[in-house]
Amino acid sequence: MRDFVIVFSSSSAITNPHHHHRRCYATAPEPNRKAKSNSSFTKLLPSLPQQHSPSPAPVSASHSLSNHFSKVVRWIPDGSLEYYADFASKLAEDGRIEDVALIAETLAAESGANVARFASMVDYDLLSKGISSNLRQGKIESVVYTLKRIEKVGIAPLDLVDDSSVKLMRKQFRAMANSLQVEKAIDLMEILAGLGFKIKELVDPFDVVKSCVDISNPQLAIRYACLLPHTEILLCRIIHGFGKKGDMVSVMTAYEACKQILDTPNMYICRTMIDVCGLCGDYVKSRYIYEDLLKEKIKPNIYVMNSLMNVNSHDLGYTLKIYKNMQKLDVTADMTSYNILLKTCCLAGRVDLAQDIYKEAKRMESSGLLKLDAFTYCTIIKVFADAKMWKWALKVKDDMKSVGVTPNTHTWSSLISACANAGLVEQANHLFEEMLASGCEPNSQCFNILLHACVEACQYDRAFRLFQSWKGSSVKEALYADDSKGGISSQNRLKNHGPGSLVNSNSNSPYIQASNRFCFKPTTATYNILLKACGTDYYRGKELMDEMKSLGLAPNQITWSTLIDMCGGSGDVEGAVRILRTMHSAGTRPDVVAYTTAIKICAENKSLKLAFSLFEEMRRYQIKPNWVTYNTLLKARSKYGSLLEVRQCLAIYQDMRKAGYKPNDHFLKELIEEWCEGVIQENGLSQEVSDQEGDAGRPVSLLIEKVATHMQERTAGNLAIDLQGLTKIEARLVVLAVLRMIKEDYMRGDVVIDDVLIILGTGEANSDSGKQEITVKEALVKLLQDELSLVVLPAGPKNIKQDAHCVDDAKQDTVHTLETTTSLVSISSTRRPAILERLMVTKASLYKWLQRKK
C-alpha cells in the first residue's frame, strides 16, 4: 500500500504549533519522497472549509478541490496506518468530523483490507468530542450523515455518541419536530434508526405526529411510525389526529397504509377507525369496516362492537342489529354495551325499550355478571327525564342508593331536569337541596336547569332572586323564596340568622353551611334563561347583556334572538331590526332563529314589506328558512290586495314544498279563493263557493300549484289555461285567478293581444274523466257568460299525435306471432287520435270587460 501524509498550510485548522499534542509538518518534500499532488486521495478530498455538507462531494466535482491540497499532500511509500489514524483523531478533536469520514472512505478505496485496522486505531474519545462539538453548534444534519459514512468503514456510531450528545440530539430534534422542519427530522431519524439508535428517546412521538397532522401529511407520519416499536399504537394516534381535524381523506390514506404494513387486521386500529368515522360524521364508512371484518371471517372484539354501536347510536334499528350479531358471534356484552343501548333508546325516545334494557342489566348485575355504574343510572334517568316520567327517575335514584352507587353531578342534573321538565319547581328545588346535602358540587348546568324551571313556570321574580342569591352565596334563602303569587316567604324560612347564613329553621340539614364552598359561575346559557324572564322589559335585558359582557361572556345567537324577541314584544319593530343589524357588526352571524324572530315581529306589526325584505336577505346570506319562517310569511296576510302579493306568497309556498316542509294548504286556499272571487265582487255580483261533491279528499296542493303556475310571469301572447284533471271548483278558481291577473296587468298598461284558450281535457264522453270535463265546461260557461258577460266559443278540437308501439316477436314461434299481430291490428283499428276539448274567450269581450266600470 502507498502511504501518504497530508501537510496543512496556514489555512489549516491545526495552526497553533505551541500546543504539545498537535503536530506540524513541513511543506517541503522529504528526501527520497516524491510528492504526488494528483493522488486519488487528493481528488476525493473536499475543501475543508465546507464542513456543513451532509454527504461527501462527488468524484466528478473534486478535481477543482484538489488544487487546494496540491502543495500540501505528499505520498509516503512505506507509511503506517497509525499515522493516519492519529491524524484523523486530531481532525476529529478539532470538530472536523466530515474530513475524518473522508479520510476513512479514501483509505477504504485505496486498501479495503486495512480499513478495519484504521477503524480500531482511531481515538474514539476524540471522535466523540468532535461529534459533541458539532452538536453544540447545532449541526445535527452534518453529524447524522457523518455517522452514516463512518459506519460503512467499521466505526460503530453508537460508541461515539455519549449521554451528553444524546441530550443535544434530543434538544435539536424536538425543535425540528415542532416546526416546519419535521420532514427533515424524520429523514435524519430514519438514518439513525438504521444505525441502531433508539428513536423513541430522541423526541416525543406524539409531537411528531401532531406536526404531521398540522401540515396534513399522512405519509410522513406513517414513515415515522414505522421507526418505532409497537407501530400500531402510533398508527392509531395518527388516524385519530386526522380524524379530530376532520380530514377524512388523510384518515383513509393512513388506514389503507395500516392494512399494507400489518399482516392481519388490528382490532385496536379498527376500533380507532370506527371512532374517527363518528367524529367526522361518516357513520356509513364505520359499517363498511365492520362488514370487511366479517367478510374476512375475523371475529370483532367487544371494543370494536361497542364503538360501532356508539357511532351508529342515532339509528336504533342498526344498533339493535349489531347487538343481536354480538350474541350470534358469542361476544359477551359488557356494561359499556348496555350504556350505549340506553343512550340509543334515549336518542330515539323509546322509553319502553330503555326500561327493558335497564331490567336486563339489573338482572345481570344480580347474577354477578355486571356492575352497573353511575353512567348507566344517569342515562336511564335522562330517558325518563326527557319523557317527563319524573317518578320513574326518582325510583332509579333509589336503586342507585340501594346498591351503594353515589350519584354524581351529572346524575343529579338529570334528576333535577326530570322534575323541571314536568313543571315541578318545588320538587326540583328539593333535589337541589339533597344534592348539596350529599356534598356533591353542582355545576352551572344544575343552576341553569333550576332557573329554567322557574322561568317555564312563570316564576320570574323567583328566578332573579335565585340568581342574585347564588352570586351572593345565599343558596338556601333563594330556594325557598316564593314568587309574587304567594307562598312561603324567606322571612319565615330563615329566622335569627344573618344574611350570610344558609341554615333552614325548619330543617336540621347541615348541607346549607357546606354549600358556601360551592362557587357559582354563570354562563352564557344562564343569562339567556334570565333574558327570557325579562318579558318585554328591554332595558332590563340590556342590563343583563352588559353584565355578562363585563364577566367576559360573549352573547351567542340565542342571546341576540331573545333580545330581538324581547324588543319586538313591546311593538318596537325598528328596534328589533336594529338589534339584528347589531348582531352582524358584533361579529355574530345571525341564524335562522334570529331572522325568523325578526320576520315574525314585522308580520305581527303589519310591516309586511320589511318582513319579506328580511326573508330575501336570509336567502342572500344562504341561511335556509325553516318551517316557522315559511309559515309566518304565509300567514302574514289576512287577505291579498294585489297580484304582486299573490305571486309573492305563491313563490314562498313553492319554496316551502321544495324544502320538504308541509304548508297549511287550506289556509292559503281560502286566501286565494277570496282574492279570485274579487273579480266577481268588483262586477257587483256575489257568489259563494263551497266544496262540492268530488272535491272531498283531493289534495289542496294540486290547486295551489296550478294557480302558482299560471301566476308566474307570462310571455307575451301566451294566454292558455290548462284545467286538465281539476274539479269544477278548482277550475273556477284557476280561471278567476288568471282573469284577475289579466285585469291587474291591464291596469298597469298591458294590452290584451290575443284570445284566452281554456284546455278542458281529452276524456271521452262515456268515461269518468269525460263526465267531469262536461261538468267543468258547463260551470265555466256559466261563470264566464252569465256572471262576467264574456263571450265564450268552442275553440275547435285539436289532435294529439301518439307514437305507435312496436312489438318485436322475432324470437316467438309462428303461431304466437300471428295471434299477436291479429290482436294488434284489432286494437289499432278502433284507436282514434286524442282530441283536446277547448274553449275560447274572445279578445274583444275581454277588452270590454276590462273597460267596464265597477
Side-chain angles (χ1 to χ4, degrees):
M1 169 183 174
R2 295 180 301 168
D3 292 345
F4 49 86
V5 175
I6 304 177
V7 184
F8 289 92
S9 63
S10 59
S11 62
S12 171
I14 307 178
T15 58
N16 192 347
H18 301 290
H19 289 182
H20 68 279
H21 63 278
R22 301 194 178 188
R23 300 180 183 180
C24 296
Y25 301 93
T27 57
E30 295 183 6
N32 302 323
R33 302 276 178 101
K34 185 177 180 181
K36 295 186 178 182
S37 60
N38 295 325
S39 66
S40 60
F41 174 66
T42 306
K43 292 180 181 181
L44 289 173
L45 189 64
S47 178
L48 292 179
Q50 297 181 353
Q51 300 182 27
H52 303 288
S53 59
S55 58
V59 176
S60 61
S62 65
H63 180 71
S64 61
L65 301 175
S66 65
N67 295 329
H68 180 74
F69 300 99
S70 60
K71 297 179 181 180
V72 298
V73 177
R74 293 183 301 142
W75 288 103
I76 301 176
D78 297 322
S80 64
L81 287 175
E82 289 83 352
Y83 173 77
Y84 304 115
D86 183 61
F87 185 70
S89 300
K90 296 300 182 182
L91 288 174
E93 185 182 14
D94 246 18
R96 302 172 65 170
I97 56 176
E98 291 182 357
D99 295 332
V100 174
L102 187 56
I103 291 174
E105 289 174 340
T106 307
L107 286 172
E110 289 288 332
S111 178
N114 293 322
V115 72
R117 288 181 55 207
F118 170 79
S120 64
M121 294 176 184
V122 174
D123 191 330
Y124 275 49
D125 291 337
L126 294 180
L127 267 176
S128 179
K129 289 180 180 178
I131 289 172
S132 181
S133 174
N134 277 263
L135 289 173
R136 282 193 294 271
Q137 298 176 41
K139 300 177 181 179
I140 181 67
E141 191 173 359
S142 175
V143 169
V144 171
Y145 281 106
T146 299
L147 291 174
K148 179 182 179 182
R149 292 166 64 187
I150 63 177
E151 191 265 346
K152 295 179 180 178
V153 297
I155 300 176
L158 289 175
D159 296 338
L160 304 178
V161 181
D162 55 15
D163 291 341
S164 61
S165 296
V166 171
K167 290 181 180 179
L168 292 171
M169 278 187 173
R170 188 180 296 121
K171 181 179 179 181
Q172 294 182 49
F173 273 120
R174 285 178 179 175
M176 295 172 72
N178 293 316
S179 66
L180 295 178
Q181 293 183 309
V182 62
E183 185 170 3
K184 182 184 290 185
I186 292 175
D187 290 339
L188 298 177
M189 283 188 281
E190 284 178 330
I191 295 173
L192 291 176
L195 300 177
F197 285 85
K198 294 181 179 180
I199 303 304
K200 190 176 181 180
E201 297 178 357
L202 298 177
V203 65
D204 187 349
F206 292 162
D207 290 342
V208 179
V209 171
K210 182 179 181 300
S211 297
C212 293
V213 170
D214 290 341
I215 63 175
S216 300
N217 194 334
Q219 293 86 356
L220 190 62
I222 292 166
R223 278 175 52 196
Y224 174 71
C226 293
L227 301 178
L228 302 175
H230 308 294
T231 303
E232 62 276 3
I233 297 177
L234 202 58
L235 289 173
C236 290
R237 185 78 177 197
I238 293 168
I239 292 173
H240 189 262
F242 284 108
K244 289 177 65 177
K245 190 179 178 182
D247 187 355
M248 200 62 193
V249 175
S250 296
V251 168
M252 294 305 299
T253 301
Y255 180 62
E256 293 298 327
C258 291
K259 293 195 290 187
Q260 297 295 326
I261 295 170
L262 304 175
D263 296 332
T264 58
N266 182 278
M267 291 296 107
Y268 190 33
I269 291 177
C270 290
R271 178 192 178 185
T272 304
M273 190 64 192
I274 290 172
D275 290 338
V276 165
C277 290
L279 285 176
C280 297
D282 194 348
Y283 64 91
V284 176
K285 278 191 174 66
S286 69
R287 301 181 182 186
Y288 289 154
I289 294 169
Y290 169 70
E291 291 169 2
D292 289 342
L293 290 175
L294 296 182
K295 288 178 182 177
E296 296 180 20
K297 297 183 179 179
I298 297 175
K299 178 182 175 181
N301 60 23
I302 183 61
Y303 304 106
V304 173
M305 304 296 279
N306 285 343
S307 291
L308 184 64
M309 288 196 298
N310 188 45
V311 168
N312 292 274
S313 59
H314 63 282
D315 188 342
L316 178 62
Y318 185 80
T319 305
L320 292 177
K321 177 184 175 183
I322 296 300
Y323 177 65
K324 292 178 181 178
N325 286 348
M326 287 175 59
Q327 297 172 332
K328 292 179 181 178
L329 295 171
D330 198 24
V331 178
T332 304
D334 59 4
M335 198 63 253
T336 303
S337 307
Y338 286 100
N339 289 342
I340 294 171
L341 288 172
L342 288 173
K343 171 189 170 183
T344 305
C345 295
C346 182
L347 294 174
R350 289 291 303 274
V351 182
D352 55 336
L353 191 57
Q355 286 177 304
D356 294 339
I357 294 172
Y358 176 62
K359 291 176 182 177
E360 174 66 16
K362 285 186 65 178
R363 185 189 64 78
M364 296 188 70
E365 183 183 39
S366 62
S367 303
L369 301 176
L370 288 178
K371 177 64 177 177
L372 272 64
D373 53 18
F375 185 85
T376 309
Y377 290 110
C378 186
T379 305
I380 189 64
I381 288 172
K382 189 177 186 308
V383 172
F384 292 136
D386 293 342
K388 299 182 180 181
M389 299 171 63
W390 62 276
K391 290 183 179 180
W392 281 89
L394 294 180
K395 186 178 181 299
V396 174
K397 186 196 71 169
D398 296 335
D399 292 343
M400 292 182 68
K401 290 185 176 181
S402 65
V403 295
V405 178
T406 303
N408 57 22
T409 303
H410 299 290
T411 308
W412 285 112
S413 177
S414 297
L415 286 168
I416 296 170
S417 179
C419 295
N421 290 345
L424 304 174
V425 182
E426 297 300 333
Q427 185 66 38
N429 284 341
H430 177 73
L431 286 170
F432 188 79
E433 294 176 23
E434 192 175 345
M435 177 184 184
L436 298 177
S438 66
C440 184
E441 182 174 356
N443 57 14
S444 297
Q445 185 180 7
C446 296
F447 291 108
N448 292 341
I449 291 172
L450 207 54
L451 286 177
H452 181 71
C454 294
V455 172
E456 290 298 310
C458 299
Q459 299 179 12
Y460 304 127
D461 291 340
R462 185 177 197 173
F464 277 104
R465 281 198 295 272
L466 279 172
F467 177 70
Q468 295 299 333
S469 63
W470 288 338
K471 290 197 299 182
S473 299
S474 182
V475 178
K476 183 65 176 182
E477 180 177 358
L479 287 175
Y480 280 98
D482 208 344
D483 57 5
S484 58
K485 293 183 179 181
I488 302 175
S489 64
S490 58
Q491 289 80 5
N492 294 329
R493 287 288 181 183
L494 299 173
K495 297 180 180 180
N496 302 321
H497 297 284
S501 175
L502 297 179
V503 180
N504 181 5
S505 60
N506 297 329
S507 175
N508 296 323
S509 301
Y511 67 87
I512 298 302
Q513 291 90 347
S515 67
N516 278 325
R517 70 176 182 269
F518 300 143
C519 181
F520 169 59
K521 295 180 180 179
T523 62
T524 301
T526 309
Y527 283 96
N528 290 343
I529 295 169
L530 292 174
L531 282 173
K532 293 181 180 179
C534 292
T536 59
D537 192 346
Y538 170 76
Y539 294 101
R540 191 174 188 181
K542 190 68 170 63
E543 290 176 0
L544 284 174
M545 286 274 288
D546 296 337
E547 182 180 330
M548 69 182 293
K549 290 179 181 177
S550 67
L551 295 176
L553 298 174
N556 58 17
Q557 292 172 327
I558 298 175
T559 313
W560 289 106
S561 299
T562 307
L563 201 62
I564 291 170
D565 188 52
M566 185 187 306
C567 193
S570 59
D572 187 2
V573 178
E574 294 181 0
V577 176
R578 186 168 55 251
I579 294 172
L580 186 67
R581 301 286 180 255
T582 306
M583 203 172 167
H584 279 283
S585 59
T588 303
R589 185 175 184 266
D591 59 355
V592 62
V593 177
Y595 269 105
T596 302
T597 304
I599 289 172
K600 183 179 179 182
I601 292 168
C602 294
E604 289 174 350
N605 291 274
K606 305 304 179 185
S607 299
L608 302 183
K609 186 176 181 180
L610 183 56
F612 281 94
S613 68
L614 289 175
F615 177 73
E616 293 301 324
E617 185 178 307
M618 280 182 69
R619 301 176 71 176
R620 285 199 304 273
Y621 285 114
Q622 296 183 346
I623 301 173
K624 294 182 179 180
N626 58 21
W627 183 87
V628 179
T629 314
Y630 287 118
N631 205 45
T632 301
L633 289 170
L634 289 177
K635 290 188 175 182
R637 290 188 173 95
S638 58
K639 63 181 298 183
Y640 296 131
S642 66
L643 174 62
L644 178 62
E645 293 175 356
V646 175
R647 283 176 172 167
Q648 202 174 42
C649 284
L650 287 175
I652 292 173
Y653 173 85
Q654 289 179 310
D655 285 346
M656 186 176 185
R657 287 174 58 86
K658 289 177 182 177
Y661 297 111
K662 185 178 180 181
N664 189 338
D665 294 338
H666 293 282
F667 174 80
L668 191 60
K669 178 188 174 185
E670 290 176 1
L671 292 179
I672 292 175
E673 284 178 356
E674 182 181 353
W675 182 77
C676 295
E677 294 297 330
V679 176
I680 300 177
Q681 294 172 5
E682 290 174 358
N683 288 271
L685 299 174
S686 179
Q687 177 74 25
E688 293 186 359
V689 180
S690 58
D691 290 341
Q692 308 261 338
E693 54 182 275
D695 287 350
R698 286 177 58 83
V700 181
S701 58
L702 176 64
L703 167 64
I704 300 176
E705 286 290 346
K706 207 74 170 179
V707 173
T709 302
H710 288 89
M711 290 295 101
Q712 301 297 328
E713 295 291 342
R714 56 189 175 85
T715 56
N718 183 15
L719 289 174
I721 307 174
D722 187 0
L723 303 180
Q724 298 182 79
L726 299 183
T727 65
K728 64 178 183 180
I729 301 300
E730 294 169 347
R732 173 190 176 92
L733 290 176
V734 172
V735 170
L736 289 176
V738 173
L739 290 176
R740 176 117 191 203
M741 178 183 68
I742 293 172
K743 190 164 191 176
E744 293 200 14
D745 289 344
Y746 176 78
M747 294 174 66
R748 291 199 305 267
D750 293 346
V751 180
V752 179
I753 60 175
D754 202 352
D755 301 329
V756 175
L757 291 177
I758 301 174
I759 303 173
L760 299 175
T762 59
E764 298 180 359
N766 56 353
S767 64
D768 292 338
S769 59
K771 294 176 180 178
Q772 179 177 318
E773 289 170 13
I774 294 174
T775 305
V776 171
K777 180 178 179 181
E778 293 174 351
L780 288 181
V781 171
K782 181 180 179 183
L783 168 67
L784 296 172
Q785 287 185 346
D786 299 347
E787 298 181 30
L788 299 177
S789 302
L790 292 170
V791 177
V792 182
L793 300 174
K798 182 179 180 180
N799 294 340
I800 299 178
K801 296 181 179 179
Q802 297 180 343
D803 296 333
H805 297 282
C806 298
V807 179
D808 185 8
D809 295 324
K811 296 182 179 181
Q812 304 294 331
D813 57 272
T814 308
V815 177
H816 185 268
T817 303
L818 291 174
E819 291 177 353
T820 304
T821 305
T822 305
S823 175
L824 288 174
V825 170
S826 175
I827 293 173
S828 61
S829 63
T830 59
R831 182 175 296 162
R832 296 288 183 271
I835 299 175
L836 282 176
E837 185 73 23
R838 301 185 301 166
L839 296 177
M840 180 181 67
V841 180
T842 63
K843 178 179 67 175
S845 65
L846 274 175
Y847 186 71
K848 291 180 180 179
W849 174 72
L850 292 171
Q851 289 184 323
R852 191 180 307 155
K853 294 182 180 180
K854 297 181 183 179

